[in-house]
Amino acid sequence: MLLKHVPTVGNLLEGIIHVPVARLKGINRHFGVLYSTLPTCNELPRKLKKSERKPPVRSFNELKREARLKRKERQNAREIILQPPENGLLVEHLVPVAREVYAARTELLSTVSRLIKYTAIYTCSLCGEVHVGHPPHKIRTCDVQGSLSSKEHAWVRGGIQHVLPLVESFHLYDRIGRAVSHKEMLEVDRIPAIVELCIQAGFDIPEYPTRRRTFPVYSIAGKMIDFEKRFPKDFSLGEDIDACGFRYNRKRMDKDTHPAELYSNDIKVIAVGGMKAWEKMCSGSSKLMETYAVQTCGYCPEVQVGPKGHRVRNCQAYKHQMRDGQHAWQEARISDLVPPVYVYHVQDQQNNKPLVNELRRYYIMLPAVVELFAQCGAPLEPKYAGAMRDVVIPEMDEEKWVV
């Protein structure tokens, strides 16, 4: 009899081994409600402490190995062939991408500025958390200095700057020239980092000219040799351009991002177009950053588009005194160029009931601009399907049974 049951037990064990872990852990069924006890939105990036450094794109050992190889190459007095854009020339197949990114950013800002007139944006005056939709949530996550003992948020009306934070960078006339010094901090224009990336990738803006080389730059023993004249013959030196290559025109780029008015009165159509512009801007910026370098500080949100960071000593992050206020530059990610602002997703928009703190583990989070478009009727992209778990949010009287 025992021998007859041995294959049966073996088959059971084999079936248990092949059962996915998600079906064995963190899933319970009570009153027909399927839910997960795992942390909400575990795919979101972990919030770093003030003393922590941003995770590098490449490991420090790889960066040290690359630095040692470059140091050995500089010891040999020979020419190093540089490829675009390191030699100052443009990457021709990325010029249309830069134009598309700039056009998508312009359309995105115009779309968001129009949709916030129909959908309320709230921000906490203490911790800066953002909520899209009315009424704001009641989740008690405000845990900063000066917050209430109940950790409830102090909501005030927000704007487009809370949905799409502005990240600025110094505009460089010559991207492979010298870095901006601390004395030139107030003399060099700061423009949106995405716009600066598009300019360096080949998009021309008359108000912010940049140097376009027709002959490459050579590297001999680690030194950049430019045989081209400082300014081409067909370029006239303007009154607002200094010979050192920096522009002193103080025109800002806070008003140029409003394109022609959207003629459609359908909010859903506008939201769908904004969602496409958001995806096109993010994907295009990621494609440009694979070729054109962008630097960010490892401790603060400062960003500099170009092969190296600036030398302005304005870092006030963790242990900035040890660095004399200088930034700890490292390779940037798309999240540094376009900072994600995650907000709670409201599934039932017609309910008009705020999200409560007792059910916070059932809620999911999405980028604020995506949540704005979703509440205006735009369908969510497939890339956000990982965050949209198949969860039925219980009522308050059912939550106590779901343990």
Side-chain angles (χ1 to χ4, degrees):
M1 296 296 293
L2 181 60
L3 295 177
K4 295 181 180 180
H5 291 282
V6 170
T8 305
V9 175
N11 295 336
L12 290 175
L13 292 177
E14 184 179 0
I16 294 176
I17 292 175
H18 289 83
V19 173
V21 179
R23 296 178 56 188
L24 299 177
K25 180 177 64 175
I27 303 295
N28 294 325
R29 293 179 181 270
H30 290 277
F31 300 100
V33 177
L34 177 64
Y35 77 100
S36 173
T37 58
L38 298 178
T40 305
C41 301
N42 52 1
E43 63 275 354
L44 298 181
R46 183 178 62 89
K47 187 175 181 180
L48 300 178
K49 300 179 181 179
K50 292 184 178 180
S51 59
E52 289 183 308
R53 183 167 182 166
K54 300 176 185 177
V57 178
R58 294 182 295 173
S59 63
F60 289 106
N61 292 334
E62 182 180 355
L63 296 176
K64 292 179 181 179
R65 190 181 305 111
E66 182 180 352
R68 287 194 295 266
L69 293 177
K70 291 182 178 180
R71 193 181 303 112
K72 290 182 180 180
E73 291 180 353
R74 286 196 298 266
Q75 294 177 358
N76 301 326
R78 61 183 181 87
E79 177 185 350
I80 301 177
I81 300 178
L82 301 177
Q83 300 296 330
E86 284 79 10
N87 58 2
L89 301 181
L90 293 176
V91 183
E92 296 298 334
H93 70 275
L94 291 180
V95 176
V97 179
R99 297 172 181 172
E100 292 178 358
V101 171
Y102 184 84
R105 177 183 179 273
T106 304
E107 181 181 356
L108 176 65
L109 291 177
S110 179
T111 304
V112 173
S113 62
R114 184 169 184 180
L115 291 181
I116 60 177
K117 299 178 182 178
Y118 303 93
T119 304
I121 305 296
Y122 293 94
T123 180
C124 181
S125 59
L126 300 177
C127 66
E129 184 168 341
V130 180
H131 180 79
V132 179
H134 181 79
H137 66 74
K138 300 296 182 180
I139 302 176
R140 298 189 291 269
T141 55
C142 187
D143 191 10
V144 296
Q145 185 177 5
S147 60
L148 302 176
S149 58
S150 60
K151 297 184 180 181
E152 294 183 357
H153 295 280
W155 296 111
V156 295
R157 294 301 291 264
I160 187 176
Q161 68 276 11
H162 299 101
V163 179
L164 292 174
L166 178 61
V167 178
E168 293 185 332
S169 172
F170 285 108
H171 172 60
L172 303 180
Y173 175 76
D174 189 0
R175 68 177 304 272
I176 63 175
R178 60 183 179 85
V180 179
S181 64
H182 184 73
K183 294 181 179 180
E184 297 168 334
M185 176 177 57
L186 301 179
E187 300 175 350
V188 182
D189 283 340
R190 289 180 65 87
I191 63 177
I194 294 184
V195 177
E196 176 65 18
L197 179 62
C198 296
I199 292 176
Q200 295 188 13
F203 182 76
D204 294 325
I205 299 180
E207 293 81 7
Y208 293 91
T210 185
R211 185 179 180 186
R212 305 297 186 193
R213 286 183 170 84
T214 57
F215 298 96
V217 174
Y218 299 91
S219 176
I220 301 178
K223 295 184 179 180
M224 307 296 291
I225 307 298
D226 188 5
F227 295 101
E228 191 181 61
K229 292 182 179 180
R230 190 64 182 176
F231 298 100
K233 295 181 180 180
D234 56 348
F235 183 84
S236 60
L237 184 63
E239 299 178 354
D240 50 358
I241 300 180
D242 188 72
C244 63
F246 296 102
R247 186 173 179 86
Y248 289 88
N249 187 3
R250 305 311 301 171
K251 181 177 179 180
R252 304 292 297 175
M253 292 199 63
D254 52 354
K255 299 298 183 182
D256 66 333
T257 54
H258 297 281
E261 289 293 330
L262 301 176
Y263 296 102
S264 177
N265 294 324
D266 191 353
I267 302 301
K268 183 177 180 180
V269 174
I270 299 176
V272 171
M275 183 75 76
K276 294 180 181 179
W278 164 258
E279 298 296 335
K280 185 181 297 184
M281 186 190 71
C282 293
S283 60
S285 300
S286 301
K287 189 174 182 179
L288 293 178
M289 291 177 63
E290 294 176 359
T291 304
Y292 290 89
V294 180
Q295 308 296 325
T296 183
C297 180
Y299 296 97
C300 74
E302 183 71 14
V303 171
Q304 177 60 53
V305 181
K308 52 181 175 292
H310 58 75
R311 298 194 297 269
V312 179
R313 300 188 298 270
N314 58 354
C315 183
Q316 300 180 358
Y318 177 70
K319 290 187 177 180
H320 63 90
Q321 299 88 347
M322 300 179 61
R323 304 187 304 271
D324 194 19
Q326 297 182 2
H327 297 278
W329 296 110
Q330 64 183 36
E331 186 178 355
R333 303 173 184 266
I334 184 62
S335 58
D336 300 314
L337 202 66
V338 186
V341 180
Y342 291 100
V343 298
Y344 285 98
H345 174 59
V346 181
Q347 295 183 354
D348 189 5
Q349 304 170 10
Q350 307 298 331
N351 192 12
N352 291 331
K353 293 183 179 179
L355 305 181
V356 295
N357 185 70
E358 290 76 12
L359 302 178
R360 57 179 296 185
R361 61 174 178 170
Y362 301 102
Y363 303 137
I364 62 174
M365 300 190 75
L366 295 176
V369 63
V370 176
E371 175 65 15
L372 176 63
F373 295 147
Q375 291 194 18
C376 293
L380 293 175
E381 295 292 333
K383 61 183 295 184
Y384 301 106
M388 302 293 293
R389 298 172 301 156
D390 188 11
V391 177
V392 178
I393 300 179
E395 299 294 336
M396 289 297 299
D397 56 348
E398 296 177 346
E399 198 274 336
K400 62 181 180 181
W401 298 100
V402 185
V403 182

